[in-house]
């Protein structure tokens, strides 16, 4: 309604303007080729406007006729570009949908319609790689390396191809080239870093980590942990041959991660070997309070060279009070008490954790106590039978592999910092039924301190 009213008002205004122009007083004399015309001034103005409009219209028609071939060419090019973009889109969809044959066909069609488009070439190379046509993929990628715009993408494809063909050296070469062209390339940096760690080139690996630029708190924490793990790996490698250098690396790791148990154990062992037992004990007490790790308690008990089992137990009692705060503390104290033949103390330490949820370690220690304190073979066999079905104790675990000690790399995947202190995943899906008591044989329990003679129960030495 408003639009109709506006149109009517506009029409009336134009008509009024035209009437006013026509009614203007005066005449205009025009002489042309012997002809004289004397129209009124308003009529002359109207005729002049009509003539200008005709000239403009005629010129527009002439321009359109002249530019018709170019316009048709532009329309064909636009249509060709549109078809090329559509083919490119279809190629991407087909490749993501798991149809590399159609993706390659669409990529070739896109190249025919968009000959300068690099994305179509990359898609065809990807499709070749997915189809297993390695020679064709390699040729496409090598052709794309020459362009700065597509060099990194081509090197990425060559890297994936080399890995698919199990050619690690070639893959590493492509990663190094990509890293030289684009230092911020994440996949290339990860590939080169992984190679350095697997080769044990820790100095170069930590230099790469130090050069990383991080902004978020999470990224900074990950960087510190990675640095600490590498420094601990360097300390572990030099602990025997270069203990002073190893100690420096271990302390550097502890500055980055103050409660990192592997670094603390290495530093404490070096302190002990240098006769600096007090330093080792101070460090181990701090780590024990923070982590409660059993390896820390075991090393604390042996922090004085030449100490007897009774002395080790006495030292450990300074660290652990009864009742033990957790299972790891109880097991460490019970182990030291068993070595010192203090059977009542060993039993007292384990009693809170020897219920229905007793772990394998607790059950095995209880079997030693029953055998050593009273010589009760039946109870010892019962505990050993329970140990077969009991939950496992935490251990250093990576990719299903359990290790007695922490290692910087996974032996399966070569991943850095793969080992975690946790309960290993059980390999069985259902509990194994208990064997009859008479069929369970009690193995000879090991004597953990060879310097101590086997004494009667209740007589520690």
């Amino acid at each position: 309604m408003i639009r109709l009213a506006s149109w009517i008002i506009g029409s009336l205004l134009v008509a009024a303007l035209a009437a006013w122009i026509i009614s203007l007083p005066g005449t205009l004399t025009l002489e042309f080729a012997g002809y004289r015309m004397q129209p009124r001034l308003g009529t002359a103005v109207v005729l002049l406007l009509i003539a200008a409009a005709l000239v403009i219209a005629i010129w527009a028609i002439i321009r359109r006729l002249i530019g018709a071939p170019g316009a048709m060419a532009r329309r064909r090019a636009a249509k060709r570009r549109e078809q090329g973009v559509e083919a490119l889109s279809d190629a991407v969809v087909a490749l993501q949908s798991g149809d590399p044959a159609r993706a390659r066909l669409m990529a070739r069609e896109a190249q025919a319609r968009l000959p300068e488009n690099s994305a179509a070439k990359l898609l065809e190379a990807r499709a070749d790689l997915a189809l297993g046509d390695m020679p064709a993929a390699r040729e496409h990628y090598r052709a794309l390396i020459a362009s700065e715009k597509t060099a990194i993408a081509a090197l990425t494809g060559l890297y994936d191809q080399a890995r698919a063909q199990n050619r690690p050296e070639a893959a590493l070469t492509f990663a190094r080239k990509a890293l030289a062209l684009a230092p911020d390339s994440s996949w290339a940096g990860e590939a080169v870093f992984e190679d350095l760690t697997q080769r044990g080139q820790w100095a170069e690996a930590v230099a790469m980590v130090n050069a990383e630029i991080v902004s978020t708190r999470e990224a900074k924490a990950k960087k510190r942990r990675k640095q600490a793990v590498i420094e601990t790996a360097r300390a572990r490698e030099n602990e025997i041959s270069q203990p002073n250098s190893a100690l420096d690396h271990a302390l550097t790791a502890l500055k980055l991660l103050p409660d990192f148990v592997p670094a603390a154990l290495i530093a404490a062992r070096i302190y002990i070997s240098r006769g600096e037992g007090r330093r080792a004990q101070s460090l181990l007490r701090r780590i024990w309070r923070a982590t409660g790790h059993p390896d820390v308690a075991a090393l604390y008990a042996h922090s004085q060279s030449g100490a007897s089992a009774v002395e080790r137990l006495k030292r450990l009692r300074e660290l652990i009070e009864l009742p033990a705060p957790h299972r790891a503390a109880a097991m460490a104290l019970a182990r030291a008490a068993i070595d010192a033949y203090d059977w009542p103390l060993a039993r007292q330490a384990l009693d809170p954790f020897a219920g229905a949820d007793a772990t394998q370690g607790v059950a095995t220690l209880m079997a030693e106590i029953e055998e050593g304190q009273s010589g009760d073979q039946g109870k010892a066999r019962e505990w050993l039978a329970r140990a077969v079905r009991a939950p496992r104790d935490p251990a250093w675990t990576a990719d299903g592999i359990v290790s007695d000690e922490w290692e910087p790399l996974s032996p399966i995947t070569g991943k850095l910092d793969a080992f975690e202190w946790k309960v290993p995943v059980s390999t069985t899906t259902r509990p194994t039924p208990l064997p009859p008591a008479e069929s369970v044989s009690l193995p000879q329990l090991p004597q953990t301190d060879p310097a101590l003679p086997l004494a009667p129960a209740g007589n520690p030495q």
Side-chain angles (χ1 to χ4, degrees):
M1 194 69 181
I2 295 176
R3 184 177 300 177
L4 177 61
S6 301
W7 184 83
I8 293 173
I9 294 172
S11 300
L12 292 175
L13 290 175
V14 171
L17 180 62
W20 178 76
I21 292 175
I22 293 174
S23 64
L24 286 175
T27 58
L28 180 67
T29 302
L30 296 176
E31 292 185 3
F32 178 75
Y35 293 94
R36 175 181 294 182
M37 297 178 62
Q38 290 183 328
R40 293 177 59 84
L41 181 60
T43 304
V45 171
V46 171
L47 292 175
L48 183 61
L49 292 175
I50 293 174
L54 288 174
V55 170
I56 292 173
I58 293 171
W59 174 245
I61 293 172
I62 293 173
R63 282 191 60 188
R64 184 173 294 273
L65 291 175
I66 295 174
M72 293 176 65
R74 286 192 296 271
R75 282 197 295 271
R76 285 197 301 268
K79 186 176 180 180
R80 188 179 184 86
R81 188 181 303 108
E82 183 180 350
Q83 292 173 341
V85 171
E86 185 177 355
L88 196 62
S89 176
D90 291 343
V92 173
V93 172
L95 192 61
Q96 293 296 322
S97 302
D99 190 357
R102 175 173 170 75
R104 180 162 66 176
L105 183 64
M106 291 294 99
R108 288 176 177 174
E109 182 178 346
Q111 284 189 70
R113 300 183 183 280
L114 303 171
E116 301 299 326
N117 192 293
S118 302
K121 299 175 183 178
L122 283 172
L123 277 174
E124 184 176 0
R126 282 286 180 184
D128 289 336
L129 191 62
L131 287 169
D133 192 351
M134 299 303 177
R138 189 182 304 114
E139 290 301 320
H140 284 105
Y141 282 130
R142 291 190 183 279
L144 290 168
I145 290 178
S147 172
E148 293 183 2
K149 185 185 296 185
T150 58
I152 299 300
L155 287 169
T156 304
L158 289 171
Y159 171 79
D160 293 340
Q161 182 193 41
R163 292 189 62 185
Q165 293 178 326
N166 197 21
R167 295 188 297 133
E169 294 298 330
L172 181 62
T173 300
F174 296 132
R176 290 185 183 278
K177 288 182 179 179
L179 192 62
L181 292 174
D184 296 335
S185 178
S186 59
W187 69 266
E190 290 175 2
V192 174
F193 178 78
E194 182 180 349
D195 176 72
L196 291 174
T197 56
Q198 290 181 357
R199 293 175 183 268
Q201 297 178 356
W202 304 114
E204 293 84 350
V206 78
M208 282 191 66
V209 178
N210 293 339
E212 291 181 2
I213 300 176
V214 294
S215 56
T216 65
R217 181 177 300 179
E218 293 78 7
K220 290 178 181 178
K222 288 181 180 179
K223 179 179 178 178
R224 283 197 303 272
R225 181 168 183 86
K226 196 181 294 185
Q227 290 171 319
V229 170
I230 295 176
E231 292 293 346
T232 305
R234 300 176 76 180
R236 182 174 179 269
E237 186 178 60
N238 298 326
E239 182 178 357
I240 304 300
S241 59
Q242 302 177 27
N244 293 333
S245 175
L247 180 60
D248 291 338
H249 292 307
L251 294 178
T252 301
L254 288 174
K255 289 179 182 178
L256 295 165
L257 289 181
D259 302 332
F260 194 43
V261 172
L265 293 176
I266 294 173
R269 285 197 297 264
I270 296 175
Y271 280 140
I272 294 170
S273 66
R274 290 166 51 169
E276 301 177 15
R278 290 186 179 276
R279 281 192 174 184
Q281 291 171 11
S282 176
L283 173 61
L284 292 172
R285 278 195 298 269
R286 180 178 68 80
I287 300 299
W288 171 259
R289 287 193 295 268
T291 64
H293 199 285
D295 291 350
V296 174
L299 186 57
Y300 186 86
H302 291 80
S303 59
Q304 188 66 39
S305 301
S308 67
V310 175
E311 293 172 336
R312 294 198 297 270
L313 175 59
K314 182 179 179 181
R315 182 175 299 109
L316 199 59
R317 289 296 301 273
E318 300 172 357
L319 194 68
I320 304 173
E321 296 180 356
L322 289 178
H326 46 76
R327 182 183 289 111
M331 291 175 62
L333 187 58
R335 178 75 269 166
I338 290 171
D339 293 344
Y341 300 105
D342 191 342
W343 309 111
L345 177 60
R347 186 183 296 275
Q348 182 183 0
L350 289 179
D351 272 344
F353 305 97
D357 59 345
T359 62
Q360 291 182 357
V362 172
T364 303
L365 289 173
M366 287 299 299
E368 290 192 48
I369 293 171
E370 297 293 352
E371 170 69 11
Q373 184 176 19
S374 60
D376 192 333
Q377 298 286 331
K379 288 186 177 180
R381 290 191 184 97
E382 181 181 348
W383 278 111
L384 287 176
R386 285 185 61 180
V388 175
R389 302 177 60 186
R392 303 180 70 176
D393 294 280
W396 290 114
T397 307
D399 300 319
I401 301 298
V402 178
S403 175
D404 293 334
E405 295 183 356
W406 175 87
E407 296 181 15
L409 301 175
S410 166
I412 303 298
T413 62
K415 180 184 177 182
L416 183 71
D417 194 23
F419 276 93
E420 299 178 86
W421 183 257
K422 62 180 182 180
V423 177
V425 179
S426 177
T427 56
T428 57
T429 57
R430 61 181 68 182
T432 306
L434 279 174
E438 60 269 19
S439 66
V440 178
S441 59
L442 182 65
Q444 183 67 32
L445 298 176
Q447 184 176 338
T448 58
D449 190 356
L452 295 174
L454 188 61
N459 296 325
Q461 296 188 9

